[in-house]
Amino acid sequence: MKILTTVKRVTDPDMKVRIQPDQSGIVTEGVEYKMNSFDEYGVEEAITLKEAHGGEVVVVSIGPGAATKELRTAMAMGADRAILVETDADLDSDAVARVLAEVVGREEPDVIIMGKQAVDSDRSQTPQILGSYLNWPQATFAYKVEIEDGWAVVGREVDGGTATKRIKLPGIISADLRLNEPRYASLPGIMKAKRKPLETLTPDDLGVDIAPKVKVLNYEAPEERGAGEMVDDVDDLINRLKDEARVI
Amino acid sequence: MSEYLIDRRDMDFTLFDYLGLEDLLELPRYQGYDRETFEIVMAQAQRFAAEKLAPTNEEADHQGCRLEDGKVYLPDSYGDLYKEFCEIGLFAPVHSPEHGGMGLPQALGMALAEMMLTAHPSFMFLPGLTVSAAHLIEAFGTDRDIELYLERMYTGQWTGTMCLTEPQAGSALGELTTTAKEVEGEDYYQIAGNKIFISAGDHQLTENIIHLVLARAEGDAEGIRGVSLFIVPKNRVDADGKVTGPNDVTITGIEEKMGIHASPTCAISFGDNGECQGWLVGERGRGINYMFQMMNEARLVTGLQGVAIGNSAYQAALAYAQERKQGPKVTDRSGEQTSVAIIEHPDVRRNLMTMKAYGEAIRAMLYNSAYLSDHALHNEDEAAKTKAQDMLDLLTPICKAFASDVGFKMTELAMQVLGGYGYIKEYGIEQQMRDVKIASIYEGTNGIQALDLLGRKMRQKGGALFMTWMQDTNEFLIPLAEDEFFGDMAKEVDKGKNVLGEAAFLFQSTGKKDPEYPLLHATPFLRMFGLVESARLLLEQAALARTKLQAIWEEHGVESDDQEARDELSERNDEVLYYENKIKTASFFIYQLLPEARAMLKSIQSEDRSALDIKF
């Protein structure tokens, strides 16, 4: 089985993100980057499936040259080879999906496993858009994946509970955070990853026009959160949640 | 529970920008590595430290170790933790890749060790002692020893210990009474004797433990020259490493200690039944020499415990001081008496700044020592190799003693910042203080380090080591003294350097007629040296930070004398803030802490020998 998985290089979510004074973007100096945590679940699941069913895990990233670090990390965890589609541009979800569709056309995987969203932009769009471009079935927000006889049975997290969906492969699965516990890249794994193949392409090589369809007007920091309030007792809390917050 | 906090920015700056870790890639040993690999390794180690080690530290301290029916049991969390630690390959990151180590640079290994020691100081005794013991076997053992033990130890399949101390033989190891008797027709000796204070001396995590034991072979000289080193496995093994049965090694007790509760400190009896087999390492009578190779490495790790735990306490105090509100700001004239975070109060700021300055200085000191080790071990240019080894020899006692004392001091300052909340268990500071204290005591007490510096290292090669250090320091300071920005600071550090020279000269002249007098001042001299070396390192870092700043200002079109524009930039740019703080840190150290060195010179020059003359 050939499994394709994706990783995005994102700003470290533990860091304080600052907006440029002209609101054109975020301050990138001194910012740490890491692998999108939802993609870590995707990579882990891809490797687990390979261990169970055999085959190959190909990991893809679209981003700057420095994203080789995230690709190497995925290979150190156990992915077999990597493809970097190199660009310094900030792509919208549609452009990402079109780039991936081309990669999929070349690689012809049996299944695609990707994070449900990136923790920097939090859009949660790419798996779904990719599904429509490829005309493949999709099972999003997976907390459990089983593959059998060319079908994937996927436990999904949905509003108010869980649902199970069976999709015919090839198909797309997007990973939620309860799917697994991503393994550590072991030091021997990291050394081995240096010798695994990493192919670098550009959007041009794939014939994709990455000009954005979504126009970003400006960036604004969210309002500072006000101080919390101590309530007297549980009844008070329930009443306030009911009457003021109207969440129950 | 206390949070896992490390200053990754300063670690990265020290490693990659200040020391230039990437330069090491030119050494043949490290060809094939690259920065990306180093960064991935650091990220994994940090994640493991944060997710696995740190969350179990407090509970392990609480649970401690116990001895039942002659077997030592470690905290419950250790079983899984140890297994995962071995699997991830962090057991021997810098040791020989041919034998199961990872072959990474020593300097990188220091950073990895800092991450893990910060998270769980007690646990790290297990891998720490094991790789030290294994490295000794690698350096001096026979082919059989290497075949049998090395890979098993570098991968954590078996652990190791160092058995030096006996009840009557601590700092004076020559007085040990453990014996080794040749056995006719066999390649082993029969070992008999009692050892105490053996860290990681027993546990049930692995099927064997390899003890390295100092003992006197029958017929050999009294004193240190008759001491040999033996490999004594807890369980006997056949040629394939399969355990065949016990080797007459008995655990007779474990100590109740002030700190590092989750590391078992054992009393071990060898050969109670005359059945304990030990294999000689190298030649007879050379045990101490072999042990010293290991001790020098272990001394650096001990200094690093000061770096890790001290800095961790600083981070906790900093976070607390930013949250805790008490009292209005002294300059608040509004009459509203609004409480502010205690970090606004000058006395708290002084404590925090003292910790920051000490913490960054000793981090630079220890990482630098590892960087010197890399060159001393692997540089193919003989002159560079020798020079690195010389500087390492000179600085090792300072790294060990100054950093461990300062690390302890930092936990004390941190506790002061937290006040009553520091003294109770909740924030973890009291555990840090208990855990770090041992670092000033074992691996040669800090008093012994001071004697090593003054009596041995300062005189080594006829004083050439110290002269080289002076020369290098001059080469850095002389041009900087002309610098508009750093000139005054450079002059202060130069005065500190001269103070050291004066003290050394005074010891030389008075020592001839009064040999006790220099020894009376050995500890202050080591501290003076530590202060001056700290100031030198911080000033070098500050000069580099200034260069980095100028590049960023230029890029943003900010003039270096436009304070407003600079402040505005540092407000929204963490890089700028870090570099500006680095310069302030150097300035604080040089003007607030370094002057102590001059006061110490005064006390040395006094020729007051009342501590020697008094009748207690």
Side-chain angles (χ1 to χ4, degrees):
Chain A
M1 188 166 62
K2 189 167 181 178
I3 308 159
L4 191 134
T5 185
T6 58
V7 297
K8 184 177 181 185
R9 177 179 169 85
V10 297
T11 48
D12 184 342
D14 293 333
M15 288 196 59
K16 191 175 172 190
V17 174
R18 290 197 174 82
I19 309 289
Q20 296 275 15
D22 64 1
Q23 299 191 312
S24 63
I26 63 159
V27 175
T28 53
E29 276 162 325
V31 168
E32 296 288 328
Y33 293 89
K34 58 190 293 189
M35 190 192 296
N36 171 36
S37 48
F38 289 108
D39 293 338
E40 288 181 341
Y41 302 113
V43 171
E44 173 62 37
E45 197 62 22
I47 297 166
T48 310
L49 287 175
K50 179 195 137 177
E51 284 166 353
H53 301 276
E56 185 189 26
V57 175
V58 181
V59 56
V60 184
S61 188
I62 304 167
T68 53
K69 185 169 138 195
E70 282 65 40
L71 290 170
R72 292 265 177 226
T73 304
M75 289 196 283
M77 288 168 74
D80 298 289
R81 60 188 173 87
I83 299 167
L84 172 64
V85 182
E86 192 173 347
T87 171
D88 288 329
D90 188 11
L91 274 57
D92 61 25
S93 304
D94 184 74
V96 173
R98 283 182 288 119
V99 171
L100 287 177
E102 290 303 319
V103 175
V104 170
R106 291 178 162 215
E107 292 290 335
E108 298 181 349
D110 298 296
V111 63
I112 302 170
I113 305 180
M114 52 206 304
K116 69 165 183 174
Q117 67 197 64
V119 294
D120 55 353
S121 56
D122 269 340
R123 290 188 289 234
S124 190
Q125 296 172 331
T126 303
Q128 296 87 329
I129 299 174
L130 179 61
S132 79
Y133 279 122
L134 293 173
N135 201 19
W136 283 13
Q138 50 168 310
T140 49
F141 317 133
Y143 72 88
K144 192 177 172 196
V145 175
E146 273 167 20
I147 290 190
E148 225 179 72
D149 303 329
W151 289 77
V153 181
V154 179
R156 303 177 59 233
E157 302 207 8
V158 294
D159 289 347
T162 60
T164 302
K165 190 172 176 181
R166 196 161 165 265
I167 58 169
K168 178 109 179 85
L169 298 183
I172 299 171
I173 298 167
S174 82
D176 216 321
L177 70 147
R178 271 165 280 270
L179 182 57
N180 52 45
E181 190 187 336
R183 70 193 65 192
Y184 294 93
S186 72
L187 269 62
I190 295 168
M191 305 307 164
K192 239 184 266 167
K194 280 181 61 62
R195 293 189 294 273
K196 290 183 179 176
L198 194 160
E199 183 186 4
T200 304
L201 302 167
T202 63
D204 276 350
D205 295 339
L206 295 167
V208 179
D209 175 10
I210 56 167
K213 293 178 181 172
V214 176
K215 197 172 161 196
V216 175
L217 299 179
N218 68 330
Y219 283 75
E220 275 173 35
E223 258 179 60
E224 293 267 333
R225 242 161 111 176
E229 220 183 307
M230 297 298 284
V231 292
D232 294 333
D233 50 34
V234 175
D235 288 339
D236 187 21
L237 176 67
I238 289 171
N239 287 335
R240 303 270 299 267
L241 286 173
K242 241 187 213 159
D243 303 334
E244 284 176 32
R246 293 170 193 278
V247 291
I248 54 173
Chain B
M1 198 189 69
S2 51
E3 211 184 331
Y4 176 66
L5 298 167
I6 56 165
D7 188 350
R8 186 60 201 275
R9 184 67 194 91
D10 195 59
M11 292 167 82
D12 284 346
F13 173 77
T14 305
L15 211 50
F16 292 108
D17 298 316
Y18 173 62
L19 290 173
L21 187 61
E22 284 164 277
D23 298 349
L24 291 175
L25 298 172
E26 285 164 24
L27 301 181
R29 162 95 167 193
Y30 302 127
Q31 272 165 17
Y33 288 112
D34 52 33
R35 178 164 179 160
E36 190 174 86
T37 306
F38 297 155
E39 286 179 355
I40 296 172
V41 169
M42 287 176 84
Q44 296 301 314
Q46 186 175 344
R47 192 181 142 207
F48 188 82
E51 293 177 355
K52 301 286 177 180
L53 290 170
T56 55
N57 178 34
E58 190 183 316
E59 176 59 26
D61 174 70
H62 179 69
Q63 202 182 4
C65 307
R66 63 181 207 280
L67 176 65
E68 264 172 37
D69 301 329
K71 288 180 170 177
V72 174
Y73 295 90
L74 304 185
D76 299 337
S77 51
Y78 272 38
D80 291 343
L81 197 55
Y82 187 81
K83 194 166 157 277
E84 282 191 87
F85 186 81
C86 295
E87 278 168 5
I88 189 177
L90 282 168
F91 210 88
V94 302
H95 290 84
S96 309
E98 310 85 67
H99 300 294
M102 291 298 139
L104 291 165
Q106 304 277 339
L108 181 68
M110 271 290 169
L112 300 176
E114 185 190 338
M115 288 175 176
M116 296 185 285
L117 279 168
T118 302
H120 201 328
S122 287
F123 179 82
M124 292 307 291
F125 277 77
L126 283 163
L129 282 156
T130 304
V131 296
S132 285
H135 193 204
L136 214 158
I137 294 174
E138 183 176 1
F140 305 109
T142 61
D143 289 347
R144 168 196 172 273
D145 300 334
I146 288 171
E147 173 77 18
L148 197 51
Y149 301 114
L150 218 51
E151 184 158 341
R152 292 186 172 92
M153 293 174 79
Y154 280 156
T155 56
Q157 189 186 337
W158 295 346
T159 66
T161 76
M162 299 286 182
C163 302
L164 284 75
T165 306
E166 296 178 9
Q168 75 299 335
S171 296
L173 280 169
E175 286 164 37
L176 59 81
T177 60
T178 297
T179 58
K181 198 168 137 189
E182 277 185 277
V183 182
E184 218 182 296
E186 299 289 352
D187 61 351
Y188 57 81
Y189 289 65
Q190 235 175 50
I191 309 292
N194 297 306
K195 295 285 177 180
I196 59 164
F197 296 167
I198 309 307
S199 294
D202 191 47
H203 55 76
Q204 313 307 315
L205 295 172
T206 59
E207 61 170 358
N208 212 354
I209 300 172
I210 310 306
H211 303 288
L212 290 184
V213 180
L214 285 182
R216 196 181 313 280
E218 219 174 31
D220 283 357
E222 289 296 302
I224 208 80
R225 283 177 306 125
V227 172
S228 304
L229 183 68
F230 296 88
I231 299 173
V232 185
K234 171 184 170 179
N235 291 310
R236 292 184 193 166
V237 293
D238 64 18
D240 299 324
K242 200 169 155 287
V243 168
T244 55
N247 188 31
D248 197 11
V249 176
T250 315
I251 305 300
T252 54
I254 57 173
E255 306 296 339
E256 293 288 333
K257 308 186 293 293
M258 171 180 171
I260 49 166
H261 289 160
S263 168
T265 305
C266 302
I268 306 182
S269 178
F270 294 95
D272 277 358
N273 308 305
E275 294 287 329
C276 180
Q277 301 176 356
W279 283 262
L280 178 70
V281 177
E283 293 167 34
R284 283 214 341 217
R286 308 249 317 138
I288 287 293
N289 304 59
Y290 303 147
M291 205 49 116
F292 259 99
Q293 182 214 277
M294 179 284 300
M295 285 283 263
N296 280 324
E297 293 169 23
R299 283 173 178 174
L300 297 179
V301 177
T302 306
L304 189 71
Q305 287 174 321
V307 175
I309 303 175
N311 274 291
S312 168
Y314 162 59
Q315 291 295 329
L318 178 64
Y320 181 86
Q322 284 165 333
E323 292 284 323
R324 170 79 171 168
K325 288 195 170 121
Q326 287 289 287
K329 198 166 165 66
V330 70
T331 50
D332 180 3
R333 296 276 174 265
S334 69
E336 285 175 20
Q337 299 288 298
T338 321
S339 280
V340 293
I342 60 171
I343 199 166
E344 299 290 328
H345 302 313
D347 185 62
V348 174
R349 293 183 85 82
R350 184 181 175 85
N351 281 338
L352 291 171
M353 190 65 163
T354 305
M355 283 186 265
K356 180 176 165 62
Y358 272 142
E360 290 178 13
I362 57 177
R363 176 178 292 122
M365 198 181 279
L366 267 295
Y367 286 22
N368 180 49
S369 75
Y371 182 81
L372 290 171
S373 304
D374 279 315
H375 284 286
L377 289 166
H378 305 300
N379 200 319
E380 287 186 326
D381 177 87
E382 276 307 314
K385 188 184 176 85
T386 306
K387 185 179 170 191
Q389 185 63 53
D390 284 352
M391 287 304 96
L392 184 61
D393 285 349
L394 178 70
L395 296 172
T396 293
I398 301 164
C399 287
K400 193 275 180 184
F402 183 77
S404 60
D405 279 342
V406 161
F408 181 73
K409 178 73 189 167
M410 288 169 75
T411 64
E412 192 220 322
L413 288 167
M415 186 176 283
Q416 208 60 33
V417 170
L418 272 80
Y421 287 102
Y423 194 67
I424 64 173
K425 282 184 179 286
E426 188 178 349
Y427 286 85
I429 305 279
E430 64 85 40
Q431 187 191 338
Q432 288 169 332
M433 188 189 268
R434 289 188 284 107
D435 283 350
V436 77
K437 184 56 205 164
I438 187 60
S440 64
I441 297 167
Y442 64 9
E443 302 297 352
T445 65
N446 285 3
I448 294 281
Q449 302 306 315
L451 297 182
D452 179 48
L453 175 65
L454 195 58
R456 200 175 295 142
K457 303 299 170 58
M458 291 294 288
R459 293 151 95 166
Q460 206 165 307
K461 298 191 178 175
L465 275 51
F466 183 59
M467 291 315 293
T468 306
W469 180 87
M470 292 281 270
Q471 218 170 343
D472 281 0
T473 307
N474 276 335
E475 275 170 29
F476 162 61
L477 291 175
I478 290 169
L480 202 65
E482 305 302 317
D483 185 271
E484 198 186 340
F485 188 80
F486 285 113
D488 288 345
M489 285 194 227
K491 281 172 202 150
E492 289 300 314
V493 179
D494 189 58
K495 275 186 221 164
K497 181 213 70 190
N498 292 338
V499 154
L500 271 186
E502 277 184 64
F505 185 74
L506 187 142
F507 289 148
Q508 218 174 18
S509 53
T510 58
K512 280 182 193 121
K513 41 188 196 299
D514 184 3
E516 277 187 317
Y517 189 77
L519 301 184
L520 181 65
H521 290 284
T523 291
F525 180 74
L526 184 143
R527 178 158 170 83
M528 280 167 72
F529 210 146
L531 288 168
V532 178
E533 173 71 354
S534 293
R536 181 185 74 86
L537 292 164
L538 288 177
L539 186 58
E540 277 186 359
Q541 290 199 336
L544 175 59
R546 175 90 181 169
T547 312
K548 299 259 181 196
L549 268 179
Q550 274 160 338
I552 300 177
W553 288 335
E554 200 164 310
E555 196 185 316
H556 287 265
V558 172
E559 297 291 329
S560 61
D561 54 0
D562 183 350
Q563 192 61 42
E564 205 176 314
R566 279 173 44 184
D567 288 349
E568 200 260 328
L569 189 62
S570 79
E571 189 94 333
R572 62 184 160 88
N573 188 317
D574 286 343
E575 284 295 277
V576 172
L577 186 65
Y578 173 78
Y579 293 132
E580 290 193 336
N581 285 349
K582 186 56 108 175
I583 294 169
K584 291 184 178 108
T585 305
S587 173
F588 178 85
F589 196 99
I590 289 165
Y591 292 115
Q592 306 298 322
L593 302 177
L594 180 62
E596 187 188 333
R598 269 183 278 164
M600 284 174 165
L601 178 65
K602 275 204 138 181
S603 94
I604 292 169
Q605 286 168 332
S606 72
E607 295 186 30
D608 167 56
R609 61 194 314 288
S610 43
L612 296 170
D613 296 337
I614 193 172
K615 294 185 171 62
F616 283 114

